[in-house]
Amino acid sequence: MPLTPMPAAGSQYSTRAPLHPAMVGSIGPALRRLRLVTDPTAQTLLKKNDFVIRLTDERRVDEVQMLVTRMYHQRGYVTTSAGRDSPAQQRSCVTLEALRNGRTIGTLTVNVGDHRGLNAEELYASEIGPYRRGGARVCEFTRLAMDGDGSSKEALASLFHVGFAFAFRVFQASDLFIEVNPRHALFYRRKLGFHAIGEERTCPRVCAPAVLLHKDLAVCAEEVRHLGGCRIPSNKSFYAFVLTPDEEACLLQNIARTLALRS
């Protein structure tokens, strides 16, 4: 069931600026022609409070991988270096990076999969297959890592929102899947409205238990529209910490600008 929309705290929460049709047509081709940009500020998508979120490029891969390795090892997970993305992978995924004072504090990869499918389909092909056969455009969030010492709830929520923008607005995906440790599943279900659709199994990539969660991105878009950035007592969802409508509008402009520079 989708989360119950909160009463609007003001007119700014009742509407959300849609992505302009011209952006829908131009972002996809730009993303398929990724190349290295020499100006690091061109990669910045969001500046909020004391952190920024940017697209990771070839110069930042090692920093991002170090964070993933460190945080995964703290939780007893096994991880291997992701390495540099191939041209095919660059066309089907983006890696986001949150920084505070120039230090990487979080990362998230949005993946729509190449000819091999999603990473999650290694374990859950039978669960994801019906969505594909029904015409869904599937995607996944993967390699999420947040530095517990330097990150914040707002940084995590903003990273999620930027990931959502790429999944829904750029890749135009319809259904989002994530593999999470069972002890984290309750957070995603209660605070973000995900549903468990795959039973617990051992993920070979990290040698740890996992369950598969699903979110209809059209529902997510509505929840973001009604709940996003709405800091009122009745809004107990995690959407209270994502971007406001004005912030999302700026984010979409920055995404279009950044991808145009990469084209």
Side-chain angles (χ1 to χ4, degrees):
M1 295 291 291
L3 300 175
T4 302
M6 296 295 127
S11 61
Q12 70 268 34
Y13 297 115
S14 61
T15 59
R16 181 165 304 273
L19 191 63
H20 192 279
M23 290 175 64
V24 174
S26 64
I27 286 178
L31 192 61
R32 291 192 290 270
R33 299 191 299 270
L34 293 182
R35 63 178 174 82
L36 182 65
V37 177
T38 57
D39 179 7
T41 62
Q43 309 287 76
T44 299
L45 303 172
L46 175 71
K47 294 182 179 180
K48 185 174 181 179
N49 300 335
D50 59 348
F51 63 87
V52 301
I53 295 176
R54 68 191 300 278
L55 283 173
T56 300
D57 58 35
E58 294 176 12
R59 295 165 300 181
R60 300 287 304 178
V61 168
D62 290 340
E63 294 291 331
V64 169
Q65 179 58 37
M66 286 174 59
L67 175 66
V68 172
T69 299
R70 178 162 54 87
M71 301 314 299
Y72 277 31
H73 283 182
Q74 286 183 9
R75 289 162 175 78
Y77 304 160
V78 174
T79 184
T80 57
S81 174
R84 266 57 176 177
D85 290 339
S86 67
Q89 290 171 321
Q90 289 182 347
R91 291 191 293 269
S92 63
C93 72
V94 293
T95 295
L96 305 171
E97 179 183 15
L99 301 98
R100 176 176 285 117
N101 298 324
R103 184 171 70 89
T104 303
I105 60 170
T107 182
L108 170 70
T109 295
V110 183
N111 178 37
V112 295
D114 53 18
H115 64 281
R116 296 167 296 183
L118 303 179
N119 291 334
E121 288 179 282
E122 294 178 20
L123 278 182
Y124 296 105
S126 61
E127 286 82 2
I128 297 174
Y131 290 89
R132 287 191 180 276
R133 292 191 292 273
R137 181 165 175 78
V138 301
C139 71
E140 66 183 348
F141 283 179
T142 186
R143 298 180 73 82
L144 170 64
M146 297 296 294
D147 186 337
D149 294 330
S151 63
S152 64
K153 189 177 294 185
E154 286 79 7
L156 174 59
S158 296
L159 195 61
F160 175 88
H161 198 140
V162 178
F164 159 77
F166 270 94
F168 191 62
R169 307 292 192 183
V170 178
F171 289 121
Q172 298 181 40
S174 61
D175 292 80
L176 171 64
F177 299 90
I178 56 172
E179 293 173 289
V180 301
N181 190 292
R183 65 175 180 264
H184 299 149
L186 188 61
F187 166 80
Y188 287 93
R189 290 165 56 197
R190 284 187 175 177
K191 297 298 186 179
L192 289 166
F194 278 80
H195 299 278
I197 64 167
E199 64 184 13
E200 182 176 327
R201 295 168 190 165
T202 299
C203 178
R205 296 189 305 279
V206 295
C207 296
V211 294
L212 182 68
L213 304 182
H214 166 260
K215 182 75 179 182
D216 183 322
L217 285 175
V219 173
C220 186
E222 281 300 301
E223 291 169 348
V224 165
R225 184 170 73 87
H226 287 289
L227 303 171
C230 187
R231 302 289 184 91
I232 57 177
S234 56
N235 187 1
K236 304 298 185 182
S237 77
F238 200 62
Y239 291 109
F241 301 96
V242 304
L243 306 185
T244 66
D246 287 344
E247 289 170 336
E248 187 187 63
C250 291
L251 168 66
L252 297 178
Q253 292 175 3
N254 290 339
I255 289 175
R257 172 187 54 80
T258 299
L259 295 181
L261 290 171
R262 285 174 164 234
S263 62

